[in-house]
Amino acid sequence: MIKETILSIFLLLPAAGYSQNEIVKVSEAQEPMAKGKFEPNWESLRKYETPEWFRNAKFGIWAHWGPQCVEGSGDWMARGLYEEGSKAYKHHVANYGHPSEVGFKDILPLFKAEKWEPDSLVKLYKSIGAQYFFVLGNHHDNFDLWDSKYQPWNSKNIGPKRDILAEWAAAARKYNLPFGVSLHADHAWTWYETAQRYDLKGDKKGIPYDGCMTAADGKGKWWEGMDPQQLYVQNHPLSKGSWAGMLDGQWDWKNGAAIPSEEFCTNFYNRTLDVINRYNPDLLYFDTTGVPFYPVSDAGLKIAAHFYNHNMATHGGKNEAVMFGKILTDEQKEALVWDVERGAPNQIIPLPWQSCSCIGGWHYNTDIYNKGNYKTAETVVRLLADIVSKNGNLLLNIPLRGDGTFDEKEYEVIKGIGVWMDINKEAIYDTRPWKKFGEGPVAESEIPLNAQGFNEGSYSNMTGKEIRFTTKGKNLYAILLSRPDNDTAIIKSLANEKIKRVELLGHGKVNFTKSKDGVHVKLPSDCGSIPVLRIR
């Protein structure tokens, strides 16, 4: 546990930053940082250049899947089950037990992945157009989904008794998809603070939840010999306002967040390098501001330098790696690829970027299934077209149930994406933005980002006037985000452009006329709900 004196110093640090003498420095004794072109500082990391393969890929699928999918109560359930009165808490108590006795650690053996077939899943994802594939390595729940050297609470020891990462990686490489891993456990330190709580009312009032348990409490239990603190990491004082729900405002380790110990930072650093060195991912995703633990530790900058240097060493001196960060400064966007969660900027971004989203919740949610609240295939395609027109990629999560399968409603979405991509993929892959990304009421609106994104709802009302543009070679593509009135598209942005030929993808040549208000294109009755025009 971090010393109280050092903790007090960190809590008083100004928001402007931290000096090198104040940050938590990780040990490289077990996992030395790879040496090479990149050093663990922003100036050096700004030498990074996004590889062309990523710029061309445009569309990836993410299996954001782990033990939090078991209960089917949605994302962050391993935190929510410790929030008295919450939906996740009520579901957990009714179906599994009270968190003072049955906590998240006891859900882990129920994560069996008994129907999980990584080969068939990855094959399907590639067939619908995925150009890269992402998996969850660990979430904020701090459970590692591989044969982890530094975290005994892992999928090889508990639950499936399988190295999930190894099997996903083998499937991705069989189908020639770049392989990505997302690692979120750096925030377990503050995220799990709810597990230190207790009920404020009822029969269990005042009884601590199992986040306070230690190895000694495991005698005679299924987890005897294991230390719950290696999972929950709660042997530290609570963050300022922890009971009041200040977590979101402390995601960058400011505003009174409890500062992580050297042991915890080093453990996350070791686990991440273990993944990089053993599974050689092409992409790394962190659900964090900048890099992990920045600016209170050097762990994240060392991870970035190691990842880039390791990748170059395994690719003949060429850097083919992609590492993502959120809420980046302009300088940091040169060092990392900017990730926007569930949203998009409403302009062309000069450097390649990514939007991550999902058709439902991040973890499987039975309520979303029952209420039919998945995104439709059309909604996904509209988001993809909008994002690509702005120089971005879309990483789409399709949540799996705890057994490793998707449901039939999700399959309809998957199938619909594939049908559209089969006809129109040339307007997506290998493209670059035009001189403007689009036209229409939404394109011409001010749509600000909310923190790390969260504005994709503003892109849901797409009429036939909404058009997005991409280019490839001599071709300009106009993606109509909804079928236009009277099957006649009016493209205002082309009023002063020379047009020789217009074709509807999947159909062939179509007639067009020009006027002072734009190009008018008459579409056939079978043009589909999101038609794409190839213009020369």
Side-chain angles (χ1 to χ4, degrees):
M1 184 174 67
I2 193 166
K3 294 181 179 178
E4 291 292 334
T5 52
I6 296 181
L7 177 64
S8 298
I9 291 172
F10 278 121
L11 294 180
L12 293 173
L13 288 172
Y18 303 79
S19 76
Q20 287 296 309
N21 294 326
E22 294 165 334
I23 66 171
V24 179
K25 296 182 179 180
V26 298
S27 168
E28 296 182 46
Q30 293 171 294
E31 296 287 346
M33 185 188 74
K35 305 300 182 183
K37 175 180 177 180
F38 295 96
E39 297 292 334
N41 60 71
W42 289 115
E43 182 179 2
S44 176
L45 294 172
R46 286 173 66 187
K47 300 174 185 176
Y48 171 78
E49 293 183 6
T50 309
E52 284 297 294
W53 76 258
F54 179 77
R55 297 197 68 190
N56 293 332
K58 304 302 181 187
F59 181 50
I61 294 289
W62 192 0
H64 193 283
W65 173 65
Q68 287 186 80
C69 298
V70 168
E71 294 194 17
S73 56
D75 198 32
W76 284 29
M77 60 76 56
R79 174 179 165 86
L81 74 88
Y82 298 107
E83 295 178 302
E84 184 182 11
S86 72
K87 194 170 185 177
Y89 170 94
K90 291 176 181 178
H91 178 86
H92 181 81
V93 170
N95 293 279
Y96 300 92
H98 191 267
S100 63
E101 301 163 351
V102 181
F104 186 66
K105 70 182 186 313
D106 302 290
I107 300 302
L108 300 177
L110 306 181
F111 175 57
K112 297 184 181 299
E114 60 269 30
K115 297 180 181 179
W116 175 55
E117 297 179 358
D119 188 279
S120 62
L121 287 169
V122 175
K123 181 179 181 181
L124 174 63
Y125 298 150
K126 181 168 184 177
S127 75
I128 68 165
Q131 298 294 289
Y132 55 104
F133 177 62
F134 247 100
V135 304
L136 196 68
N138 54 39
H139 199 250
H140 311 314
D141 60 27
N142 211 27
F143 182 79
D144 284 353
L145 290 157
W146 73 94
D147 184 16
S148 181
K149 293 165 59 178
Y150 302 103
Q151 172 56 296
W153 297 86
N154 68 65
S155 63
K156 187 69 173 177
N157 290 339
I158 303 168
K161 303 295 179 69
R162 295 165 73 175
D163 187 327
I164 302 290
L165 277 193
E167 294 187 50
W168 276 133
R173 290 185 171 119
K174 176 180 177 180
Y175 294 103
N176 297 312
L177 290 179
F179 179 60
V181 179
S182 68
L183 299 159
H184 310 239
D186 52 315
H187 275 98
W189 186 267
T190 50
W191 190 82
Y192 258 140
E193 285 185 2
T194 54
Q196 290 194 47
R197 297 182 187 175
Y198 44 82
D199 283 2
L200 297 176
K201 56 186 178 181
D203 295 341
K204 303 289 186 180
K205 179 180 178 180
I207 301 176
Y209 298 154
D210 75 329
C212 298
M213 288 184 176
T214 65
D217 297 305
K219 189 174 182 180
K221 306 287 179 63
W222 73 264
W223 47 277
E224 184 172 1
M226 300 189 72
D227 184 358
Q229 288 310 309
Q230 289 182 298
L231 179 69
Y232 298 126
V233 289
Q234 289 308 299
N235 190 19
H236 66 81
L238 292 174
S239 300
K240 178 182 176 181
S242 182
W243 280 76
M246 287 183 61
L247 180 66
D248 287 347
Q250 298 168 334
W251 209 248
D252 57 359
W253 302 102
K254 298 174 184 176
N255 299 320
I259 302 304
S261 67
E262 178 186 338
E263 179 184 8
F264 179 69
C265 293
T266 298
N267 179 260
F268 180 81
Y269 165 86
N270 284 341
R271 288 154 71 186
T272 303
L273 265 64
D274 185 34
V275 168
I276 295 169
N277 295 339
R278 290 167 63 186
Y279 304 100
N280 293 303
D282 304 286
L283 312 97
L284 275 186
Y285 174 106
F286 298 99
D287 190 5
T288 193
T289 304
V291 293
F293 301 114
Y294 185 78
V296 301
S297 172
D298 62 355
L301 291 171
K302 284 187 173 182
I303 288 168
H306 177 87
F307 181 46
Y308 290 162
N309 289 334
H310 175 86
N311 184 272
M312 291 183 71
T314 56
H315 287 83
K318 186 177 180 181
N319 189 1
E320 297 288 349
V322 182
M323 179 168 156
F324 301 94
K326 298 182 178 181
I327 314 182
L328 304 179
T329 66
D330 289 343
E331 291 76 16
Q332 291 168 347
K333 288 175 184 176
E334 297 176 20
L336 308 168
V337 171
W338 180 35
D339 181 83
V340 180
E341 183 174 350
R342 288 186 179 268
N346 213 27
Q347 60 183 315
I348 296 173
I349 302 301
L351 292 172
W353 61 282
Q354 174 181 269
S355 175
C356 62
S357 190
C358 45
I359 66 171
W362 286 117
H363 284 102
Y364 191 83
N365 190 321
T366 305
D367 278 353
I368 293 176
Y369 168 79
N370 290 334
K371 295 175 181 177
N373 286 341
Y374 290 125
K375 288 181 175 69
T376 64
E378 289 80 8
T379 296
V380 171
V381 168
R382 290 182 182 112
L383 290 174
L384 174 64
D386 179 75
I387 289 161
V388 171
S389 73
K390 300 167 182 174
N391 204 30
N393 289 23
L394 173 62
L395 176 62
L396 181 71
N397 172 44
I398 299 172
L400 300 174
R401 293 175 287 206
D403 65 4
T405 62
F406 49 75
D407 61 55
E408 78 281 359
K409 294 179 183 178
E410 291 178 296
Y411 180 65
E412 288 302 309
V413 180
I414 294 168
K415 185 169 64 174
I417 295 170
V419 168
W420 188 89
M421 292 291 275
D422 280 346
I423 298 171
N424 301 295
K425 58 191 174 186
E426 72 171 84
I428 300 297
Y429 304 144
D430 305 320
T431 62
R432 296 293 183 266
W434 192 43
K435 59 186 178 183
K436 61 186 297 186
F437 74 84
E439 67 179 52
V442 175
E444 293 151 20
S445 299
E446 291 289 333
I447 304 178
L449 295 172
N450 178 18
Q452 60 262 50
F454 299 113
N455 68 352
E456 69 181 9
S458 299
Y459 295 95
S460 60
N461 185 25
M462 298 295 193
T463 69
K465 296 180 181 180
E466 211 68 50
I467 302 170
R468 296 295 179 267
F469 302 111
T470 62
T471 64
K472 180 163 52 181
K474 296 181 179 180
N475 295 330
L476 171 67
Y477 298 95
I479 306 172
L480 312 180
L481 298 189
S482 192
R483 188 168 178 156
D485 295 338
N486 301 316
D487 290 336
T488 300
I490 303 174
I491 310 175
K492 298 186 297 181
S493 302
L494 300 182
N496 298 316
E497 301 290 332
K498 292 182 178 180
I499 307 296
K500 295 181 179 179
R501 182 182 179 92
V502 178
E503 298 167 285
L504 174 67
L505 296 188
H507 176 85
K509 184 178 179 182
V510 291
N511 295 325
F512 70 95
T513 59
K514 289 189 70 175
S515 68
K516 62 181 181 181
D517 65 339
V519 171
H520 296 236
V521 182
K522 185 63 179 178
L523 300 173
S525 59
D526 60 349
C527 65
S529 59
I530 308 176
V532 180
L533 300 173
R534 183 198 295 131
I535 302 165
R536 296 177 183 170

